[in-house]
Amino acid sequence: MNLHLFKNNRNKILVSICCVFLSVLFLGNSVFAAMPAFSSDEAVCAADVNTGDVIVEQNAHQKMYPASTTKTMTALVAMHYVQNKLNQKVTVGDEVNEISGDSSKADIRKGDVLTWRQLLYALMLPSGNDAAMTIAANVGRLDAKNSKLSADAAIKRFVSLMNKEAKTLKLENSHFVNPHGYHDDNHYTTAADLVKIGTQLMKYKAIDEIVKQPAYTCHLKSGDKKWINTNALIISTKDLPLVTGSSHDGKKFNPYATGVKTGHTDKAGHCLVFSSKYKNKSLVAVILHSDNNIWSQANGIINTFDIEYSKVNWTNKDGIYKTIQLKNVRFANSKHLTLSSKKQASSYIDKNQKDQYTTTLKLNQSLFKKHGNTYKLLQTVKVNQKVGTLLVQNNNKTVKRISLYTTKTIHRRGFIDYLLMILIVLIVGFFVFRYFQVKQIKKRRRARAKKRADSIKNNKRQVKR
């Protein structure tokens, strides 16, 4: 009897242990997902690609050294020129010899012939400074439309293209002096700027495919090459046979990570531009001037965003926010104006902070004046005209601004409208007057007719007598 009881208890214990194990296995991410801590000298920025909302930031707009994350800009500029010719061949020239001896390399040599696609693999996976110089020289020549342009002149031209692209993207604090990120005091960017660069870069399907590969091999004149991705987020334990000889252990792998680029110098510290996709969520994030803890930090950002953040729609699927009631509008116009953001406006926000978010409608005060629940129209508004902003606030801090537009033209009541009003009043007054005038005339006529009839009756009575 006691033995049977012991067996039952033992089974219960085993079942409990299994339940705990399964709970940790399937719910662990949900339980433990939380934004990681960052040291005060790290720069961090993470943003949702679909909405542009910043998920987390610290020192995001501070000048920082980017190291090899610079190559995201190099790849972005290159794609403007070669996206439709990725299989076109390029010959490596003297430019590969113009890098420092301690540079990270793809080990391509002068005389090697690679396609643009292979050069991008050499740039993004092993972080080849030699590949960066080859790309810069040849894109510089394409831009100059001069295949004979010297390597130095072509690379300088390419760097100018990088800085031109920075202006196009409205980067607020970036300046580039080389295509690879080898340290230079005048070569800097910010975490927020790198998020913008990374977001634009990952729109290219070819890049999206390249940066998620654990390794890539090719056969060149100088020998067979195997380029191993330096991004530990995308290297799982099953990929370890593909990355033999590297320092990867598969323990930093994140199943939702999709790229993008690592970087490291003594002054820049450990740097990382990374991306992830989970269901309808898409993230691009940056950590600069970190340490060996950068991988757990990146995993923390990805997992917290994927698990703890949910989508909130500020407008409906067509972009409609609300309809307001107007006064002082032209008589023929509608008194209702629909406000729209043109497309659905949404945000991914922390599930635990939903009750901290509020929205405030700010209409252009030169166009509208609020009176209770209605708005007096001060000027005519035309269809698709921006008339205000919807402010999304978290604890009274504005975190998102959504532009609102009209869906139709509505005219303000003017002088002509008032003349028309007076004319209508006069016309109505005239008809009312005529109505009562005619009514009185008919009444008098009936009275006279009755009087005559009565007189005739009296006369007949007198004749009979």
Side-chain angles (χ1 to χ4, degrees):
M1 184 69 177
N2 291 335
L3 182 61
H4 178 68
L5 181 63
F6 172 76
K7 285 182 178 179
N8 285 340
N9 287 337
R10 183 178 63 182
N11 289 339
K12 289 180 181 179
I13 292 171
L14 289 174
V15 169
S16 299
I17 292 173
C18 288
C19 289
V20 171
F21 174 77
L22 290 173
S23 298
V24 172
L25 180 63
F26 292 107
L27 302 177
N29 282 342
S30 179
V31 173
F32 298 113
M35 279 297 175
F38 303 99
S39 63
S40 60
D41 57 348
E42 288 179 279
V44 183
C45 186
D48 170 55
V49 172
N50 298 316
T51 65
D53 292 337
V54 173
I55 304 303
V56 60
E57 64 178 350
Q58 174 183 289
N59 302 326
H61 306 283
Q62 183 175 316
K63 284 184 182 179
M64 304 291 285
Y65 298 127
S68 283
T69 60
T70 296
K71 295 181 174 90
T72 56
M73 177 61 98
T74 301
L76 178 60
V77 173
M79 287 301 288
H80 293 334
Y81 291 83
V82 306
Q83 58 179 308
N84 296 320
K85 53 179 89 172
L86 291 174
N87 294 322
Q88 187 180 86
K89 293 182 178 180
V90 180
T91 301
V92 179
D94 292 327
E95 64 274 355
V96 291
N97 298 320
E98 297 182 19
I99 58 176
S100 299
D102 58 347
S103 292
S104 56
K105 301 174 185 177
D107 194 31
I108 57 176
R109 312 287 179 84
K110 179 180 179 180
D112 281 339
V113 179
L114 301 86
T115 63
W116 283 110
R117 191 187 307 275
Q118 289 173 326
L119 278 172
L120 287 167
Y121 270 106
L123 177 77
M124 301 301 286
L125 268 61
S127 196
N129 286 10
D130 44 4
M133 295 293 272
T134 300
I135 289 172
N138 285 279
V139 171
R141 292 179 184 121
L142 286 175
D143 181 67
K145 298 179 180 179
N146 180 2
S147 61
K148 303 296 184 182
L149 193 65
S150 70
D152 286 344
I155 291 169
K156 286 180 181 178
R157 190 178 189 94
F158 183 86
V159 171
S160 71
L161 292 174
M162 295 172 72
N163 288 309
K164 183 178 179 181
E165 181 69 11
K167 291 181 180 179
T168 300
L169 295 178
K170 297 181 180 180
L171 305 188
E172 55 186 17
N173 225 344
S174 294
H175 183 259
F176 303 97
V177 299
N178 61 57
H180 41 65
Y182 194 85
H183 183 77
D184 186 295
D185 287 346
N186 202 33
H187 185 99
Y188 53 82
T189 186
T190 70
D193 287 353
L194 279 171
V195 165
K196 291 181 181 179
I197 296 169
T199 300
Q200 292 301 314
L201 181 61
M202 292 300 285
K203 290 180 179 180
Y204 290 100
K205 291 183 179 180
I207 296 295
D208 182 65
E209 182 62 28
I210 287 170
V211 297
K212 67 174 63 168
Q213 298 303 317
Y216 180 83
T217 58
C218 67
H219 309 287
L220 302 180
K221 182 179 178 181
S222 62
D224 293 344
K225 310 295 178 184
K226 182 177 183 180
W227 298 317
I228 296 174
N229 200 326
T230 57
N231 186 356
L233 292 176
I234 64 167
I235 309 296
S236 67
T237 51
K238 70 177 183 179
D239 296 320
L240 294 182
L242 300 175
V243 297
T244 303
S246 71
S247 60
H248 292 305
D249 57 13
K251 295 179 181 179
K252 305 165 184 71
F253 171 72
N254 190 295
Y256 308 123
T258 57
V260 176
K261 188 72 193 72
T262 63
H264 176 261
T265 65
D266 290 341
K267 290 191 176 183
H270 289 273
C271 305
L272 182 64
V273 178
F274 58 102
S275 60
S276 69
K277 291 181 181 178
Y278 174 70
K279 295 183 179 180
N280 294 324
K281 298 179 183 179
S282 187
L283 179 78
V284 172
V286 174
I287 304 174
L288 300 177
H289 203 264
S290 186
D291 52 25
N292 289 324
N293 195 40
I294 196 169
W295 302 113
S296 61
Q297 291 174 328
N299 270 296
I301 291 175
I302 292 173
N303 292 336
T304 303
F305 177 62
D306 291 344
I307 296 169
E308 298 297 336
Y309 280 68
S310 61
K311 187 178 183 180
V312 175
N313 297 323
W314 308 116
T315 66
N316 71 13
K317 64 179 182 179
D318 298 317
I320 303 301
Y321 170 59
K322 70 182 298 186
T323 297
I324 60 174
Q325 187 172 351
L326 300 177
K327 61 181 183 179
N328 195 41
V329 302
R330 185 170 290 179
F331 297 117
N333 287 176
S334 170
K335 291 185 177 180
H336 296 89
L337 178 64
T338 299
L339 304 176
S340 170
S341 60
K342 295 188 176 181
K343 62 180 182 179
Q344 188 173 61
S346 309
S347 294
Y348 280 97
I349 64 177
D350 191 326
K351 298 174 185 176
N352 301 315
Q353 296 182 6
K354 278 188 177 181
D355 59 348
Q356 298 176 16
Y357 281 78
T358 58
T359 58
T360 303
L361 175 62
K362 291 288 185 181
L363 290 177
N364 189 328
Q365 292 185 355
S366 67
L367 300 176
F368 306 95
K369 184 176 182 179
K370 190 170 184 180
H371 288 271
N373 294 324
T374 63
Y375 292 85
K376 181 178 180 182
L377 186 64
L378 303 178
Q379 295 184 41
T380 295
V381 293
K382 297 182 178 180
V383 63
N384 291 326
Q385 179 180 342
K386 181 181 176 182
V387 294
T389 305
L390 178 64
L391 303 180
V392 179
Q393 297 168 312
N394 182 1
N395 287 326
N396 297 320
K397 178 184 177 182
T398 299
V399 294
K400 190 180 185 74
R401 296 174 181 270
I402 302 168
S403 296
L404 296 175
Y405 302 85
T406 58
T407 56
K408 56 188 170 185
T409 297
I410 297 183
H411 296 273
R412 178 184 67 88
R413 188 179 299 169
F415 178 70
I416 294 177
D417 296 281
Y418 287 105
L419 284 180
L420 181 61
M421 183 188 295
I422 293 171
L423 179 61
I424 290 173
V425 170
L426 290 175
I427 291 173
V428 171
F430 171 75
F431 279 107
V432 170
F433 171 76
R434 284 294 297 160
Y435 170 77
F436 285 105
Q437 186 183 44
V438 169
K439 193 173 181 180
Q440 287 297 321
I441 291 172
K442 288 181 178 180
K443 185 177 181 181
R444 286 195 294 269
R445 285 176 180 174
R446 285 194 298 270
R448 286 195 297 268
K450 186 175 183 300
K451 187 176 182 179
R452 284 196 301 269
D454 291 342
S455 177
I456 292 171
K457 286 180 180 180
N458 290 330
N459 290 334
K460 286 181 178 180
R461 288 192 190 115
Q462 291 176 358
V463 169
K464 287 180 178 181
R465 289 177 184 173

